[in-house]
Amino acid sequence: HAGRLAGLAAAHDAGRSDAAAFAQASAADHAALATLAPFAAAVSRLMALRPGAVRAIAPTTVVCRCEDVTRGMIDAAFEDGAREVNQLKHFTRCGMGPCQGRSCGDVAAEILAARVGSREAAGCWTGRPPLRPVPLADLLGEFDYADIPIPAPAPL
């Protein structure tokens, strides 16, 4: 349902449907997701990081695998003045690797939250463009396959 809603929203944002058509097409998916909300909330509570688990992370433990950022580096960034996750990102590169913080973001934010007082104070990563779908033609431009150089065959 969420994927269908994303597709409908993309079509609406691209001007392919008006507000009334979007509302009509998405109503059933919104209703279906609403019935799943209590289950999703329960799973979220079960999967939430526990304060004791976050406190137990050793300083040498790698939190951000993409950028090799350890718990100790996150603590040092706090000592150097990082008070929210985007500052932490600038100080350490945590969340700037190929996963864009999908693997380390929650843990890094919880480590920082323990120092600044709350998860809300630690904040969330700032989204980076593209924030909405971009037509592939806008990125590629026009070309002909004859424009693509073909390398010489490798010698055998």
Side-chain angles (χ1 to χ4, degrees), residues 47-63 70-72 74-75 88 104-116 118-119 122:
M47 300 302 290
L49 291 168
R50 305 292 188 250
V54 174
R55 281 192 304 273
I57 298 172
T60 57
T61 301
V62 174
V63 173
T70 65
R71 161 69 184 264
I74 293 171
D75 289 335
L88 176 69
C104 63
D106 287 338
V107 175
E110 287 295 332
I111 291 169
L112 192 59
R115 304 292 298 268
V116 299
S118 72
R119 184 63 183 85

Side-chain angles (χ1 to χ4, degrees), residues 28-82:
D29 292 303
H30 280 295
L33 286 176
T35 63
L36 299 174
F39 176 74
V43 170
S44 291
R45 284 189 302 276
L46 288 171
M47 300 302 290
L49 291 168
R50 305 292 188 250
V54 174
R55 281 192 304 273
I57 298 172
T60 57
T61 301
V62 174
V63 173
C64 175
R65 293 177 294 201
C66 298
E67 295 295 328
D68 203 30
V69 177
T70 65
R71 161 69 184 264
M73 295 166 78
I74 293 171
D75 289 335
F78 172 80
E79 296 299 330
D80 290 341

Side-chain angles (χ1 to χ4, degrees), residues 12-36:
H12 176 68
D13 288 349
R16 303 291 181 171
S17 70
D18 60 20
F22 172 74
Q24 181 181 6
S26 64
D29 292 303
H30 280 295
L33 286 176
T35 63
L36 299 174

